[in-house]
Amino acid sequence: MSVLVYIENFGGKLKKQNFELASFASKLAESTNSTAKALVLGTINNAEIEKLNQFGIEKIIKVEGESFNIRINKVFTQVIEEVVLKENVSMVLFPDNNTGKALAPRLSVRLRAGFVSGVVSLPESYNPFIIIKRAFSGKAFAKVKINTPTKILSLAINSFGLHEKPVTLKIEYFETQVSFADVPIKMVERKVSENKVSLFDADIVVSGGRGMRGPENWKPLEDLATVLGAATACSRPVSDDGWRSHDEHVGQTGKIIAPNLYIAVGISGATQHVAGVSRSKCLVAINTDSDAPIFEVANYGILGDVQKILPKLTEAFKAFKGD
Amino acid sequence: MKILVCISNVPDTTTKIKFTDKQTRFDPTGVQWIINPWDELALSRSVDLKEDSSNPVSEITVINVGTSETEPTLRKCLAIGADKAIRIDSEPKDAFFTAQQIANYVQKESFEFVVFGIESGDYNGSSVGGMVAEILGVPSVSSVSDIKFNGSSATIERDVDGGKEYMQVQGTTVIVVQKGFAKEPRIPNMRGIMMARQKPLEVLAAIDSELLTEIIEFNLPEPKAKVKMIDPDNLQELVALLSKEAKVL
Amino acid sequence: MNFELNEEQQMIRQAARDYAQRELIKDVIERDEKAIYPAEHIKKLSELGFLGMLVDPKYDGGGMDTVSYVLAIEEFSKVDSSIGVIISVNNSLVCYGIESFGTEEQKQKWLKPLARGEKIGAFLLSEPGAGSDATSQKTTAIDMGDYYLVNGVKNWITNGNSASTYIVIVQTHKEKGHKGINALLVDKYSPGITVGVHENKMGMRSSDTHSIQFTDVKVPKENRLGDDGFGFKFAMKTLEGGRIGIASQALGLASGAFELATKYAKERKAFGTEIINHQAIAFKLADMATEIEAARLLCLKAAWLKDKGLPFGNASAMAKLYAADTAMKVTTEAVQIHGGYGYVKEYHVERMMRDAKLTQIYEGTSEIQKIVISRAIANDDL
């Protein structure tokens, strides 16, 4: 038996979330006396994927070919199915992100295998198979039982962390029988900026709300983000009013993120906003209003004028980084 | 061109979440039910597309798998501008069950686009859209933030890591949409509210389907420790705490 | 008895609430401060159908009942009561007046664009020397055969500049007293009409209030609403319905201020606990909630009577009297609960307190409502 983890290929690179997923897969394998294997599609150096050996992956199944650099969900699912059947897989693991959301449900139907998304910890039991997932946008957790022999899970990013376990790894090439020819969908254009820190990947996120008092005041917030190597985000009213782009909106109906550190600047903390950031490891709130609900969910709070505090905070972090 | 928008009926986003029957069931007492916010965006944009006569969209149907209690939500969809509503008369027992019901309906009718919101505000499953596509054997595009028509062909914008990709499709396609697909939900107008009562709301029996998963229990998160306030004139303290206590730097 | 709202009524309340909470809230403070008429909002609200929501769909209206109307005006007024009065005047004075008493031709020509919200209406009754005492009209309309020649000044006209359709109450036969009064439909752009300066008001600052001067304005006979001499009765009947709108506006001011005060009382701490845990504050909130509920029931009762086609004049007078007094009291208490914060504009309640005062004055002062109610008591007509 084996556990298969789907390793998303980020333009020839791996990201921290791949290693977290590998760590999770290797723990699952350990608990079920099986082998942790990884599947990766498209163009990527072996040197890059070999890094997975630090996290308990013993075998990588590699499906090469430029056509796999664009995710066509229908085709990718069929490839994953082939590998699952060939490798005698009992558990398939995806990241709970756009890619996982696109592929895992399709695979669930193909394999008639129960799928639980947004898993936050290792299974509570394996027989029966019971696992905990996030529900009600972070306001609750659900214990779910999977009834089928094969299980599909997607792991909430940054919920498990990295667990090193160096092993020997081998790479195996897989020739798929699946073709793109009869799928009536094609990519016609691609606009990707490589250097911007994605909100989902960022370890640290600095986020601004109405308390910033206008788009012209964002410079000090961006300075802080630069010093921290952080991504920038904002609350809903800020994106609704066009102060910042919709891509930056985090919250229940925007992006749901779980960085290590979330710094909420001038954000009052409406329940819808908190739902989008409640899985952050550590939350710092800066606000002028001591009664702002954000202080109820924050780990650390600073009371005061955000425009005065931001530059001082940037200086403090600069000094720390300088040490 | 016909569009099917799939609707979940969920508790209002500000609802205080409680459970009942030994934590096995969501407690609906006093809860205001709404159209799942992402589904509402999906519907709003679909109606916008239909209203702009340069687009080929001719009819919008909404579908929900639910008991009769979800009908006010469906009628709100009609008020917003859907032409027709379908309710599959059953609790949405699990994602696969729900997907089977919707796919079965799509097979009987013909839709160019079957549209879902990216997740539901209650179970956060993000599953039914992809499952419907697979049951039907059609392409699916996920994390969609825009759609544009050029004559009868559509270009779909999807978010990928670090940017956007633009996809062209033919035939029935499932699209799973996120924020940005519509700027904001449409507010129904008086004419829409008045017409909602005359538009068809059809109730269909559910088909048999196996269940792949079941919910055993719900739990609320542990209460959080009290916030530690930092003196704004001593921000080094915060830096030290983040580094040594929280270990997040 | 049935206190349940039907699905449509709930949907309309939600639509109004969504618009108010999402859109009106954004710039309400600025509009109040700079006395800006909310032209963009009125355009969007007419697209949503609120400007003519009570009008029969055959005249391009929304065909909604008065209960829905109360709910909608309350929701708008919770955030911005100026919007409340603009919609109220258009619906329950101007549209209602034409729909109830106009000829088919008048409805086709004047009512339809008003119901669609393409045009806004104003109701010109008050004069510098005739407010509550509507019989002493000084504006005259001399019968010139096929037209009236109108001269005079009207005061305190809500929508005075933004409106393009006026209903003007005029004196045609002075010797006949109130039986010599007429109501005329007048196009604002008729020669001889001058719109006076925008009144710089204490509250309700984003509704545009003007005086309007008429100098030899020719108004075709066909623009008269009802028979010759019907004007006084027309005004009284129309104002009965108007009171429901203003009562709902007052209700919205009260419930909006109450919501803000409650939220504040649950967050603000003093002496180691949230101030809602202090009886001095808690009892204030209890009184406010009770009085608001009473005002709401009076508004809905008047609306229900009107929808049933039953006499509603006394009920609407009671609703307006009580809701306006409640608005004044509740908004004042809301400022008090907020303490110093209540006195600054950012926290909304001081605006609501200024706005509330007007609800006790216009479309019949609280004293006039008491006259209406007490006369009904004296005549065994309550």
Side-chain angles (χ1 to χ4, degrees), chain B residues 19-33:
Chain B
F19 301 101
T20 176
D21 290 352
K22 295 183 180 159
Q23 299 287 95
T24 56
R25 218 162 49 79
F26 173 70
D27 182 356
T29 320
V31 166
Q32 160 110 27
W33 295 89

Side-chain angles (χ1 to χ4, degrees), chain C residues 44-99:
Chain C
K44 285 187 198 152
L45 288 167
S46 52
E47 283 162 14
L48 289 173
F50 283 106
L51 273 293
M53 66 181 285
L54 290 175
V55 176
D56 191 312
K58 74 178 172 190
Y59 301 114
D60 295 345
M64 294 301 164
D65 61 9
T66 316
V67 168
S68 304
Y69 175 69
V70 169
L71 301 170
I73 301 262
E74 179 186 354
E75 290 301 328
F76 292 131
S77 305
K78 272 185 188 177
V79 177
D80 184 352
S81 59
S82 293
I83 294 281
V85 71
I86 294 166
I87 293 178
S88 171
V89 166
N90 201 64
N91 265 295
S92 50
L93 294 184
V94 182
C95 289
Y96 175 78
I98 302 172
E99 190 172 15

Side-chain angles (χ1 to χ4, degrees), chain A residues 48-121:
Chain A
E48 181 73 8
I49 54 178
E50 275 162 7
K51 292 176 188 165
L52 289 166
N53 78 335
Q54 292 302 308
F55 301 93
I57 299 295
E58 295 174 46
K59 179 174 169 184
I60 293 178
I61 297 108
K62 198 174 178 193
V63 180
E64 290 194 309
E66 272 185 24
S67 46
F68 289 104
N69 291 339
I70 297 144
R71 173 167 47 80
I72 302 296
N73 298 326
K74 189 167 187 265
V75 176
F76 274 40
T77 307
Q78 286 169 282
V79 175
I80 300 168
E81 183 194 22
E82 284 182 336
V83 173
V84 166
L85 297 177
K86 177 170 173 283
E87 298 288 331
N88 191 23
V89 170
S90 60
M91 282 182 257
V92 191
L93 196 58
F94 288 91
D96 186 33
N97 63 6
N98 287 343
T99 302
K101 284 181 201 285
L103 298 176
R106 295 199 72 128
L107 187 67
S108 165
V109 170
R110 286 199 85 82
L111 299 172
R112 286 292 188 278
F115 165 48
V116 178
S117 65
V119 163
V120 291
S121 55

Side-chain angles (χ1 to χ4, degrees), chain C residues 132 202 204 246-247 249-250 253 320-332 353-370:
Chain C
S132 297
M202 166 185 174
M204 225 72 90
I246 300 306
Q249 184 204 21
L253 277 163
K320 181 176 183 279
L321 171 65
Y322 191 76
D325 288 351
T326 300
M328 198 63 242
K329 187 174 162 199
V330 167
T331 54
T332 308
M353 181 176 159
R354 287 184 281 111
D355 286 359
K357 188 64 213 170
L358 192 51
T359 65
Q360 293 178 312
I361 296 172
Y362 66 3
E363 292 199 26
T365 59
S366 290
E367 292 71 19
I368 286 288
Q369 307 309 327
K370 288 182 191 176

Side-chain angles (χ1 to χ4, degrees), chain A residues 135-147:
Chain A
F136 293 96
S137 305
K139 286 189 267 187
F141 295 101
K143 260 184 210 174
V144 189
K145 183 165 143 242
I146 300 185
N147 295 330

Side-chain angles (χ1 to χ4, degrees), chain C residues 12-49:
Chain C
I12 288 165
R13 182 174 60 181
Q14 191 62 45
R17 182 176 298 170
D18 284 347
Y19 190 86
Q21 303 290 339
R22 213 187 282 166
E23 305 295 334
L24 296 180
I25 190 81
K26 286 183 191 167
D27 46 7
V28 61
I29 291 174
E30 189 192 357
R31 278 184 280 115
D32 168 70
E33 206 168 323
K34 298 183 184 159
I36 302 168
Y37 176 78
E40 275 304 306
H41 288 303
I42 291 300
K43 186 165 172 285
K44 285 187 198 152
L45 288 167
S46 52
E47 283 162 14
L48 289 173

